[in-house]
Amino acid sequence: MTRAVLSLGSNLGDRLAHLRTAVAGLGDAVLVVSGVYETPPWGDADQPAYLNAAVMVADPAATPRDWLERARAAERAAGRVRDPERRFGPRTLDVDVIAVWDAAGEPVLSDDPELTLPHPRAHLRAFVLRPWIDIEPHGRLPGHGWLTDLLNDEPLAGDALELSPRPDLALESTP
């Protein structure tokens, strides 16, 4: 069995519908879904605000590569088009595999350029850490430490203040 944390983000079209479709597409693998946060764009400020969330998933047969394929399938279902000229540009849906744990609960480490685990920039992104804390308040990012410590350290403390919880928007944990 593997367990994984996935980060969801959308800033084009019906952002909430894209997030909901991604959660529904993960089906019975979904254990818990975070609240929704509205966040300023990261890396390329010339684009609309994002809706972000985190999902904890588990599947007895899934490999880390399977989680990546499920993430990409969700993006394709949302009509995601990757722009090679604009790495951090707007998108209908972005699903990142943040961390994966094996059946024994040990973190899976990978330096594969297609699937680096844990995600190489997760510790720098308040929009990943804050929703993850919703679903795992005492969580740790493998190789980096406690989520709350990471979120409260500079430079993320300022970024965290820019996240707006959206309790009016909910994602269902079942399809």
Side-chain angles (χ1 to χ4, degrees):
M1 173 199 256
T2 62
R3 180 174 56 94
V5 170
L6 308 178
S7 176
L8 311 177
S10 175
N11 74 337
L12 292 178
D14 188 338
R15 302 174 301 165
L16 183 61
H18 293 311
L19 299 182
R20 285 179 173 160
T21 299
V23 171
L26 292 165
D28 292 339
V30 174
L31 298 176
V32 63
V33 179
S34 75
V36 176
Y37 292 81
E38 190 151 21
T39 64
W42 189 93
D44 181 345
D46 189 23
Q47 58 183 308
Y50 278 82
L51 289 183
N52 289 101
V55 182
M56 179 75 71
V57 291
D59 184 330
T63 66
R65 177 79 44 195
D66 292 331
W67 294 122
L68 178 62
E69 290 306 317
R70 291 179 190 189
R72 288 179 175 168
E75 291 175 349
R76 284 190 301 273
R80 164 105 185 245
V81 176
R82 292 183 183 272
D83 181 350
E85 302 298 318
R86 197 169 180 196
R87 182 173 182 190
F88 298 114
R91 66 260 337 242
T92 54
L93 182 65
D94 186 40
V95 181
D96 286 333
V97 180
I98 303 301
V100 177
W101 294 266
D102 65 17
E106 294 297 317
V108 175
L109 305 177
S110 170
D111 60 2
D112 180 334
E114 198 172 9
L115 180 61
T116 304
L117 292 172
H119 190 287
R121 291 172 298 283
H123 67 287
L124 301 172
R125 296 176 171 174
F127 65 83
V128 170
L129 299 172
R130 182 62 198 101
W132 186 356
I133 290 168
D134 281 1
I135 60 176
E136 195 175 30
H138 302 290
R140 293 177 63 105
L141 177 61
H144 295 281
W146 298 103
L147 302 177
T148 51
D149 289 345
L150 294 170
L151 189 62
N152 290 318
D153 284 346
E154 287 297 327
L156 289 188
D159 289 350
L161 295 174
E162 294 184 21
L163 277 78
S164 300
R166 294 293 307 267
D168 57 314
L169 305 177
L171 300 177
E172 298 301 321
S173 61
T174 57

